Every structure is written in C-alpha cells, then in structure tokens.
Amino acid sequence: MPSRTDMPLQVAVIGAGLGGLGAAVALRRQGHSVTVYERYDFAGEVGASLSAASNGSRFLEEWGVDVKAAKPVSEEMNIETRRNKINWKVSKVILKQLIMHNWEDGEVQSTYPLGDYKSKFGTDYNNFHRIDIHKQLIKSAFENEGEGPACVLKVNHKAIEVDAEEGRVKFENGAEISADMIVAADGIRSLTRELIGITPEYTMSTSCCYRCIIGADKLRSLDLEDYISNEAIEYWGGYGINKIVMSPCSNGEVVSCYCFYPASFNNLREDGWNIGATPEQLVETFPDLDPRMKTLMLNAEDIKMWRLYRHQPYPFWTKGKVCLLGDAAHPMMPDQSQGSCMAFEDAGALGIIFKKNFREKYSTKEGLSLYEKLRKPRATRVQEASFRAREDLSERIGWSSSTDRPGN
C-alpha cells in the first residue's frame, strides 16, 4: 500500500484541447489519476498548422508522445511519393528555414536557415496539423501504453459551478465531482476562469486573420509544389498588419496559411475563429499580393476567419485547488506560434511540480502557488512579445538576434 507521500492525486482536467491533454499526459506520467471533462460530445480539434519549437516539442518527447506518428502514412502514399521522387515517409514536417518574400511579386528577399536546430535546442522544429498532434495526445492520455494509469475521458460535461477551495465541480448535465486538483484548460473563452473570480480585460485588435489549407496534389497541378518542398515557414509582409504565413504540415500532404489583414477592411465583429469565408473573399482582401499566392488562395479549402483580441495579463492563475492553463491563463496573438508551446510548458511544469513524492515538500495548494510563480512571469513576457510581433516580424522569441543562430 502506498505511503501518504506517494498517494496519487485525483485530478480533474476541464477541456480536452491540446493544453488539457498535455496536462493529462504530464500528470499521468507521474502516476496520478486523471479524468478529462470535455464540454462537447467529441473531443476533437480543428484548425490548420501548428509550429512547435523546441520549448514545446521537448515536452512531447519527454511524455512519450509518438511525434513521428503525428500523421500516419499509407503505403499508397509512399508509392506515390517515390514516383514523384519526394521523400515524405517521415510522419511530420521538420522546418529547416524561414523564407521572406516580396509582397507584390513573391521574389525571395531573404532566407534564414535554422542550421542544426536539434543540436542547439534539443529537438527538431516540428510543424504539425493540429488534428494530427491532437490525435497523438489522445492516444498518450487514454490508451494503456506508457507510464501511469490511463486517463479517463468524459464528454458532454460543461462545468457551470466550481468550488475552488473544496475542489468541487458541478456540470450542466447534473453530474458533480470532487478532485484534489482541477486544471482549467477550457480555452480563451474559459468559463472556469470567471467561476474563480477573474473578469478578463481585453480589447479588439486592429487585426483579423484568415486561415486556410490546400492539398499537395492541388499545389502540384498549379505548379506551386515548391511551397511543399521548401521545408520552411514562408512570409509575405509582416511589417505592419498585413502578413501571410505559410508552411507545410500533415506529412507534406497539406500547406497551411494564416493571412492577417486590417480589421477595418470588413469590420468583422463576430466572436469566434471558425467563421466561414470564400476563396474570392480571401483574394479580395489582398488586392496587390503576389499573383502566385492569389492562385493558391483561389484554390484553398476550409477557409475560416476570426477577429483577434488582446487580453491583458490576468491578476492570478490559481485559487484553492484550481489552476488555469494554456489559453485560459494567457491568451496571445498567434504570430510567434507560441500558444500551444506555452500550454505544453504549463503542462510540463505541473508534471515537474507534482512528481510522485511531491507531498514530502509541499501541499497541493502550495504546489499550485509554485506553478503560478514559475509560469506566470514567463508566459506574460511571451504574451507581450506576441502582441509586438503582430505588426513586427523582427520581434524574436526563439533567439535574440540575427547572429545568434542555431548551429553557429
């Protein structure tokens, strides 16, 4: 029978997105009993690409997430790629350079090789489709492989009441639970955040964004296959509101684009990031853009747009037995691709703080206070940098200057 200091925590994670599943896996690896409560009937992900620099990828590797399986490859796909003399057998896209294009004609203005990124920072610079990496986190959390008891998933559980001091949660479906620790990973519109007394202060950004994807076969038919084979994040604009960010993902089968534009263009006010748009709307937003990019846009799929908001740092992240994580704690602009990485860092911190023998050093509440003390200053700095990066491509997070490069 385990001693008092070895007793596992009963953990409730609210939200089954990337951050919530990251927390579930991190705490599972420490032997805790984790139940994930998802408000909808299916814990799925939507969206386009997701760049995971080393500060996020290292935790995926430490948790034993099967990074190489982020997108399964069929034998038919292997045969086709061999026929085209392109090797995409690996199950992820590893970014090797940044490419800057001229806005009007697409000419390459500069390239920024990432060098031996893995040697310098410890992991590859991975680029995933959100759906692919979400599936692998689901496997790591709920299947019976890997250290720690498999987590449990409860869908159709929308939290409507939280008693932070007692560790109790009441759900809309009438269910009530108690837990030693509650991790609120319910996103930028977190309900739990307000239930523990935080009223977000935020303003509309001057920017909106489209996201879209286009398949590799379509790109080849349009003579745009270099956008797949460059193994790069490619930019148009970036000094001002207008900016296009493009990168391959999903095993090189898909190219993903994020297209930022002034909110004044269409005065989009609807709250959300899943508002449908047409290829024609997308192209009309950027009349003087590189013609090749316009061709891509006219053939793009799954075009969505959303209004961006600037959230001020919240006064606290923890209360009693509850802590906030990911976008629930520190919403940020997408320009530096640090939203998911910060969520993985949050989850990693919980796994480190709440090791199997943590009770020898502190209580659960003291551990959560330590979590906020360690994570809040760093996440706030990155959050502020993401705001600056919205209109300044030179804002750096990964390394400080053009001379401080991987491999140098």
Side-chain angles (χ1 to χ4, degrees), residues 31-46:
H32 301 300
S33 178
V34 182
T35 302
V36 180
Y37 298 90
E38 168 60 36
R39 65 183 298 180
Y40 299 113
D41 61 354
F42 177 71
E45 263 288 347
V46 296

Side-chain angles (χ1 to χ4, degrees), residues 330-354:
H330 44 70
M332 57 188 66
M333 294 294 181
D335 294 80
Q336 290 283 15
S337 301
Q338 281 293 307
S340 60
C341 287
M342 287 295 103
F344 293 151
E345 283 193 11
D346 293 345
L350 288 177
I352 293 169
I353 291 168
F354 292 99

Side-chain angles (χ1 to χ4, degrees), residues 74-85 89:
S74 68
E75 181 60 26
E76 290 77 15
M77 182 63 185
N78 285 339
I79 293 171
E80 181 62 25
T81 55
R82 283 198 294 270
R83 188 177 298 138
N84 287 307
K85 298 181 180 179
K89 288 185 180 181

